[in-house]
Amino acid sequence: MSDRRKQYPFDEIEARWQRHWEEKGTFRALSPGDPGFDPDKPKYYVLDMFPYPSGDGLHVGHAEGYTATDIVSRFMRMRGYNVMHPMGWDAFGLPAEQYAIKTGQHPRVTTDRNTDRFRTQLKRLGFSYDWDREINTTDPGYFKWTQWIFLQLYHAYVDDSGRARPIAELEKERAAACPEEGEADRRAYLDSRRLAYVAEVPVNWCAELGTVLANEEVKEGKSEVGGFPVEKRPMRQWMLRITDYAQRLLDELEVLDWPEGIKTMQREWIGRSEGAEVDFMLEGTGESLRVFTTRPDTLFGATYMVLAPEHPLVDTLTVAGQREAVASYRSEVANKSDLERTELAKEKSGVFTGGYAVNPVNDERIPVWIADYVLMTYGTGAIMAVPAHDERDHEFAQAFELPIREVVKAPGGDEAGESCFSGEGIAVNSGLLDGLETPEAKRTIIDWLEERGKGERKVNFKLRDWLFSRQRYWGEPFPILWREGKHEPLDECELPVEAPEMDDFRPTGTAEPPLAKAVEWVAYSDEAARETNTMPQWAGSCWYYLRFADPRNSESFLSPEAEQYWLNSRDQAGSVDLYVGGAEHAVLHLLYARFWHKVLFDLGYLSRNEPFHRLVNQGLILGPDSQKMSKSRGNVINPDDVIADYGADALRLYEMFMGPLEQVKPWSDRGVEGLYRFLGRVWRLFMDQNQEGEWVLSPTIVAEEPEKELNRLLHETIKKVTEDTERMAFNTAIAQMMVFVKGFTGADRRSASALRTFLILLNPYAPHLTEELNVRLSERLPGDGGDGKLELAEMPWPGHDESALAQNEVQFIVQVNGKLRDRIMVPAEIDKEALISKASASKARDFLEGELVKTIVVPGKLVNFVVRS
RNA sequence: GCCGACGUGGCGGAAUUGGUAGACGCAACGGACUUAAAAUCCGUUAUCCGAAAGGGUGUGCGGGUUCGAGUCCCGCCGUCGGUACCA
């Protein structure tokens, strides 16, 4: 590129305008109370998923989503909205900490360096962020409020109506209801209801990372970060009771304007299923075994039962003769990693305990097995097996030669044969249920069970409580103390709790977090010690979109005034109007943020019950080889290089022109060049180069209105670009602007006002070039401000004039039997008779032999003759 | 296996409500300018038959609905993403 001549001096232009915007504060979003705030302007909040500032710097995928939101932001500002478009840093996280371990350099240093680099890169792309609202999750002034929100969770519970309330209210109720209760019991009861609680549960321990991970962070038995093996281990950890919100997280998803795929993924992750819990008496023990089933109508077909190997009743049930087999199976399973357990899923395994249970519906005696296809973590950790109507049970029954009894007939009538039938049908061999259809049979049997106290209706969720502590240094410390083995909250006035300075960030190799090594810090007082776990990376990103509305508030996480203005759109469920980011956060960040938002909503801090009204996922940009970009493949495109060669406007425009925003699409170096050439054509539409090689305004530009055809082209372009930008179809908007440029390039008298309008249309896409040309155009046509000084960013978006689109003659197509035979030009006001007669006189007449059945006229479009030969 | 998205020229893609398939860009080819090249500008470019005029075929495959289907319906095939013993 070095010696090739530039199409236009983009480097100089872009740097200058970026400096100008920064100095002038062009894109500052004023809040209520700010000088110059206009209360009549409607607000619009456009949010990007803020990046983790990694050492690799910005990549073209960031640039894609951020360009899209920047176009929308600039567009909406020109349409009269007060637009908030902020940016910040999700800067706690593993890479900085691992780098610190390797080099001994404090993560703060790496983080600051990386955020500086990211900020510089983003500014170089000309994004219209309000940098006064920049936030960083690792700033004490920010995480003070992350810790504060944690305390709100700690001090809250969910009442019977499903709303979060202060736990103090529950404490009062409890004291009134159980006045005799001792202090320890009272405390245990309250802790069992808190939204933030401590529990000893089997958790995902990753030895390599030296920390536990949430279910959502484990993929196929490996850590999502790094791909290291993860094992289940019982550990005492902080948990958040997200399961109390399962139903609302499901229900309140409905009205959101999100991609259907993301909604489905959240629904599946929450995994609601309706059914019943049923008690089976265990023979000879006096104890009962509770199972969960979604098909209580198949109770008569239960021919055996299965417990998860970890189930507490296994020891009670196992008979002497089976003790050895059971013990060895249990230890075999315990040694399997989650990965092995799922990989071997095809082959069913299990062992008979020797014990029997009694089916409550028919008093039948059925054997109880243990098998690892039953999970301790779902339902009750035990199932009744109905091999005739459940594939897994069927497989197991075949492997161990257990009886299979059909109790549901398929509606078609014919029997399923060898394989099992798991659909709905008519109950058979089922006593009181015989002849009933499945839904009716379910209702009947549940009523029967409930009347006899042998079972009850039950809804189960796959969603588990959120494991909220990590054994890391670079995260938010918990605002919690431990005294005599009991946790207690720090007072709000002690926030933020900052991590101590340390030289050694290494994991301890045990469950003990690195912070435990800071002995002096841990010792809060003689009796009290600080919690040494830290919060997961998701904590900071759970509420950052709220903080942008009031980023410097030191008295509160968010003032009611800012909340009312920026986060309360009365006509929609969510607070943020438009949220753009990658689909990889479908069930992590987006679920956690919804949860916190609902808690804060319930506690009265927020006006809307959902955070994000409209969500758009940008598609991945692949390398030029159509493979995922990765360092090892060597197909990574660095935006810095592209900007150096072609400029930020060309990069922005190319990424928007590649195809629909949501779609996965490969990078093409040639493609960027094409858009760069387009910008060069735009430049030369306005500018000529003189003998000295200087760019001067073209003499073809005249202060007069465009002639009719060009005026139509102008208004067609206004219409199309407006509509396409509205629906975020940026690629087709750009295509139309190319057509405009082609049309006006061919004109030797170029209307200055038409060109100014065009610059407004292109401005959100290529802000630097257009602002520059606008200034130069003002020599010929002063700006709308009267003094020629008004910038495009301050101009209103144009509307199109419908009358300019009108044409004297319009084209109709002529079809015979739906097949194109000719195109004819007719007067726009032609009546139907004349149109048909003209159409039948066209080239179509050669195909009109035979009987004319009917003639179809689509106004403004076509005439179709239907002929039978 | 299940759920979701998608399948259109050599390539990226367009066709918003069923109504001209291939807008726009890339690549390729031809021409202008130039001593020459680069850059720029103009033109051609789905495919088959034909010298041409013109005609046939064509949106993954097979069927259907309709005057008319890339678009709607049924059944397949393929690619990508998610998920995986959740009873």
Side-chain angles (χ1 to χ4, degrees):
Chain A
M1 186 70 202
S2 47
D3 52 344
R4 212 195 303 165
R5 222 183 61 210
K6 287 195 180 77
Q7 294 263 349
Y8 69 102
F10 59 81
D11 46 352
E12 180 260 323
I13 292 173
E14 291 180 354
R16 186 145 41 78
W17 281 97
Q18 285 160 18
R19 216 177 314 124
H20 174 81
W21 292 325
E22 177 134 24
E23 283 163 7
K24 190 170 171 193
T26 307
F27 304 113
R28 200 163 291 153
L30 298 180
S31 289
D34 289 340
F37 173 77
D38 177 0
D40 295 331
K41 267 192 180 182
K43 69 93 186 180
Y44 197 77
Y45 184 178
V46 186
L47 183 66
D48 290 303
M49 289 185 184
F50 69 159
Y52 173 76
S54 74
D56 297 335
L58 200 75
H59 61 75
V60 291
H62 288 119
E64 183 191 21
Y66 297 167
T67 300
T69 52
D70 193 58
I71 291 168
V72 173
S73 299
R74 289 171 178 271
F75 175 67
M76 292 302 275
R77 275 189 209 102
M78 288 166 128
R79 298 189 106 192
Y81 287 83
N82 185 20
V83 172
M84 173 160 67
H85 187 38
M87 181 42 75
W89 317 107
D90 187 17
F92 276 129
L94 213 49
E97 178 161 342
Q98 286 180 320
Y99 189 74
I101 292 165
K102 231 182 340 186
T103 62
Q105 193 168 42
H106 195 281
R108 170 97 268 152
V109 178
T110 333
T111 302
D112 286 347
R113 193 172 52 224
N114 291 349
T115 51
D116 286 347
R117 168 138 185 246
F118 262 74
R119 192 184 305 104
T120 305
Q121 289 181 303
L122 289 177
K123 287 189 175 175
R124 225 179 267 151
L125 273 155
F127 295 137
S128 62
Y129 292 122
D130 177 356
W131 286 105
D132 286 359
R133 293 177 186 270
E134 178 180 351
I135 56 179
N136 187 321
T137 55
T138 64
D139 281 345
Y142 180 88
F143 70 69
K144 169 180 178 177
W145 299 107
T146 309
Q147 292 168 337
W148 179 86
I149 295 172
F150 175 81
L151 286 179
Q152 305 312 302
L153 289 154
Y154 182 87
H155 289 302
Y157 79 107
V158 169
D159 70 13
D160 297 337
S161 72
R163 312 272 135 185
R165 284 169 59 195
I167 199 140
E169 294 179 17
L170 181 67
E171 192 167 6
K172 261 184 236 147
E173 282 171 28
R174 182 72 174 184
C178 316
E180 306 296 303
E181 193 173 50
E183 214 228 309
D185 288 343
R186 173 81 38 87
R187 192 193 151 91
Y189 172 73
L190 293 177
D191 285 350
S192 77
R193 299 291 298 274
R194 287 181 195 282
L195 283 175
Y197 65 99
V198 176
E200 169 106 14
V201 287
V203 297
N204 306 299
W205 169 255
C206 179
E208 198 73 30
L209 295 176
T211 184
V212 299
L213 298 169
N215 288 344
E216 289 82 354
E217 294 170 303
V218 180
K219 302 274 160 187
E220 291 171 0
K222 291 183 177 165
S223 64
E224 191 171 37
V225 176
F228 303 117
V230 169
E231 54 175 306
K232 283 274 186 222
R233 224 198 231 194
M235 283 172 70
R236 216 153 84 123
Q237 297 291 324
W238 281 97
M239 309 285 291
L240 298 186
R241 214 177 294 279
I242 191 172
T243 49
D244 276 0
Y245 277 85
Q247 190 63 51
R248 277 173 66 196
L249 286 167
L250 203 56
D251 294 342
E252 290 162 15
L253 195 56
E254 290 308 315
V255 298
L256 299 181
D257 185 6
W258 285 22
E260 230 10 83
I262 300 288
K263 285 192 184 183
T264 303
M265 280 165 74
Q266 288 220 353
R267 280 188 206 110
E268 286 176 355
W269 189 264
I270 295 166
R272 182 182 199 274
S273 56
E274 276 178 40
E277 287 193 347
V278 184
D279 291 320
F280 285 65
M281 290 306 292
L282 293 179
E283 199 179 70
T285 66
E287 293 200 62
S288 73
L289 174 62
R290 178 159 271 226
V291 301
F292 174 72
T293 175
T294 54
R295 292 299 298 272
D297 61 301
T298 62
L299 255 166
F300 288 87
T303 52
Y304 63 102
M305 300 187 80
V306 186
L307 301 185
E310 308 88 347
H311 197 284
L313 283 175
V314 173
D315 285 329
T316 322
L317 260 166
T318 304
V319 300
Q322 289 299 97
R323 204 141 288 207
E324 206 173 304
V326 165
S328 92
Y329 183 72
R330 289 178 94 179
S331 76
E332 188 189 312
V333 170
N335 289 329
K336 273 192 214 170
S337 68
D338 274 16
L339 185 60
E340 289 169 312
R341 224 166 136 159
T342 46
E343 263 181 0
L344 300 171
K346 280 129 213 144
E347 285 293 307
K348 289 278 179 292
S349 67
V351 174
F352 180 40
T353 61
Y356 286 84
V358 179
N359 190 332
V361 294
N362 56 9
D363 293 330
E364 202 170 81
R365 185 170 177 267
I366 57 177
V368 183
W369 288 61
I370 62 170
D372 67 355
Y373 83 92
V374 173
L375 309 172
M376 193 57 223
T377 47
Y378 184 76
T380 62
I383 62 157
M384 64 172 199
V386 185
H389 305 291
D390 181 284
E391 276 183 46
R392 295 151 302 181
D393 298 345
H394 189 259
E395 254 179 61
F396 191 84
Q398 289 207 312
F400 294 97
E401 295 178 346
L402 291 157
I404 297 169
R405 186 193 307 150
E406 188 187 35
V407 291
V408 182
K409 268 267 184 274
D414 42 25
E415 70 278 19
E418 267 300 285
S419 71
C420 74
F421 169 66
S422 56
E424 300 200 337
I426 309 287
V428 294
N429 303 322
S430 295
L432 75 158
L433 303 180
D434 282 351
L436 296 180
E437 292 189 21
T438 300
E440 179 63 22
K442 283 183 182 174
R443 274 194 295 275
T444 307
I445 194 68
I446 294 174
D447 289 345
W448 187 93
L449 288 165
E450 285 186 338
E451 276 164 30
R452 284 158 187 75
K454 291 178 174 183
E456 60 193 359
R457 218 163 242 105
K458 173 81 183 178
V459 174
N460 251 320
F461 293 93
K462 277 194 229 175
L463 185 69
R464 301 273 74 93
D465 274 343
W466 177 11
L467 173 60
F468 195 66
S469 41
R470 299 290 183 277
Q471 292 71 46
R472 285 185 195 158
Y473 174 78
W474 194 229
E476 301 89 345
F478 282 82
I480 290 287
L481 297 179
W482 289 88
R483 201 187 297 269
E484 292 167 1
K486 298 190 188 88
H487 50 80
E488 60 184 59
L490 277 170
D491 195 86
E492 277 179 31
C493 69
E494 299 202 47
L495 303 183
V497 179
E498 296 187 49
E501 289 301 318
M502 293 174 72
D503 298 326
D504 178 8
F505 314 103
R506 275 174 301 154
T508 58
T510 68
E512 192 92 84
L515 283 182
K517 289 187 270 191
V519 180
E520 281 178 30
W521 180 83
V522 172
Y524 179 78
S525 69
D526 287 344
E527 304 90 47
R530 288 183 191 274
E531 168 66 58
T532 54
N533 281 299
T534 54
M535 298 185 198
Q537 194 183 352
W538 311 107
S541 60
C542 261
W543 72 285
Y544 75 109
Y545 60 95
L546 298 173
R547 187 66 176 173
F548 278 134
D550 193 10
R552 307 282 168 257
N553 194 333
S554 56
E555 301 303 311
S556 144
F557 83 110
L558 172 66
S559 75
E561 296 74 35
E563 196 280 330
Q564 275 302 313
Y565 182 72
W566 287 116
L567 299 162
N568 184 15
S569 311
R570 281 169 190 82
D571 53 345
Q572 59 193 36
S575 294
V576 174
D577 297 278
L578 174 66
Y579 194 21
V580 176
E584 67 273 18
H585 293 116
V587 289
L588 291 158
H589 160 62
L590 288 172
L591 194 65
Y592 298 150
R594 291 181 65 219
F595 166 48
W596 278 32
H597 192 99
K598 285 176 193 307
V599 174
L600 292 169
F601 168 77
D602 286 353
L603 296 176
Y605 295 108
L606 300 175
S607 312
R608 300 279 113 195
N609 64 5
E610 282 284 336
F612 313 117
H613 179 70
R614 181 172 178 210
L615 175 72
V616 174
N617 291 124
Q618 88 247 26
L620 212 59
I621 295 182
L622 305 174
D625 54 357
S626 290
Q627 300 291 308
K628 210 169 178 165
M629 284 192 197
S630 74
K631 274 192 218 156
S632 56
R633 279 204 193 85
N635 61 351
V636 177
I637 303 293
N638 182 345
D640 291 340
D641 299 342
V642 180
I643 293 173
D645 287 352
Y646 307 108
D649 283 335
L651 173 60
R652 293 170 58 115
L653 218 55
Y654 170 63
E655 291 211 18
M656 294 302 101
F657 189 68
M658 291 171 85
L661 182 63
E662 300 83 352
Q663 197 167 301
V664 180
K665 40 210 179 284
W667 183 269
S668 154
D669 290 323
R670 296 293 204 161
V672 199
E673 263 183 67
L675 274 293
Y676 175 58
R677 281 202 292 263
F678 167 65
L679 290 178
R681 284 196 290 273
V682 172
W683 179 257
R684 292 192 304 274
L685 183 60
F686 292 77
M687 309 299 293
D688 284 344
Q689 204 158 24
N690 66 16
Q691 300 277 308
E692 287 75 46
E694 294 161 337
W695 288 106
V696 295
L697 195 68
S698 167
T700 57
I701 295 177
V702 290
E704 60 187 46
E705 293 305 303
E707 56 90 5
K708 199 166 177 226
E709 288 303 310
L710 288 176
N711 194 46
R712 175 164 53 242
L713 175 58
L714 170 67
H715 285 270
E716 278 168 359
T717 305
I718 296 171
K719 185 166 191 258
K720 179 101 177 112
V721 172
T722 305
E723 288 171 359
D724 287 355
T725 306
E726 251 167 8
R727 61 189 181 101
M728 297 177 81
F730 306 120
N731 53 336
T732 50
I734 294 168
Q736 179 62 36
M737 291 191 273
M738 289 171 169
V739 173
F740 176 94
V741 170
K742 188 158 256 186
F744 273 73
T745 300
D748 44 19
R749 295 183 73 76
R750 298 172 188 161
S751 158
S753 68
L755 291 185
R756 153 107 5 97
T757 302
F758 170 73
L759 287 178
I760 299 175
L761 299 179
L762 182 58
N763 176 261
Y765 293 79
H768 311 89
L769 169 72
T770 48
E771 289 285 10
E772 181 69 20
L773 286 173
N774 178 51
V775 168
R776 304 205 182 204
L777 181 64
S778 295
E779 291 172 22
R780 204 66 42 92
L781 181 78
D784 294 354
D787 55 0
K789 289 281 190 278
L790 202 60
E791 290 165 23
L792 294 176
E794 300 159 318
M795 290 189 193
W797 189 261
H800 73 273
D801 177 1
E802 202 63 42
S803 68
L805 301 179
Q807 280 175 293
N808 298 334
E809 290 226 301
V810 292
Q811 184 187 257
F812 269 72
I813 64 158
V814 184
Q815 297 181 332
V816 176
N817 292 339
K819 208 168 245 227
L820 175 74
R821 291 304 173 188
D822 201 3
R823 302 177 166 90
I824 55 174
M825 294 304 294
V826 299
E829 301 300 318
I830 196 168
D831 63 65
K832 200 173 164 184
E833 301 293 299
L835 174 63
I836 291 174
S837 99
K838 260 200 120 152
S840 48
S842 73
K843 285 180 203 154
R845 72 182 173 277
D846 299 343
F847 299 87
L848 286 173
E849 278 159 39
E851 183 199 349
L852 184 64
V853 180
K854 62 174 155 174
T855 305
I856 287 151
V857 177
V858 180
K861 286 240 164 81
L862 61 82
V863 179
N864 184 16
F865 298 108
V866 184
V867 174
R868 192 156 50 213
S869 50

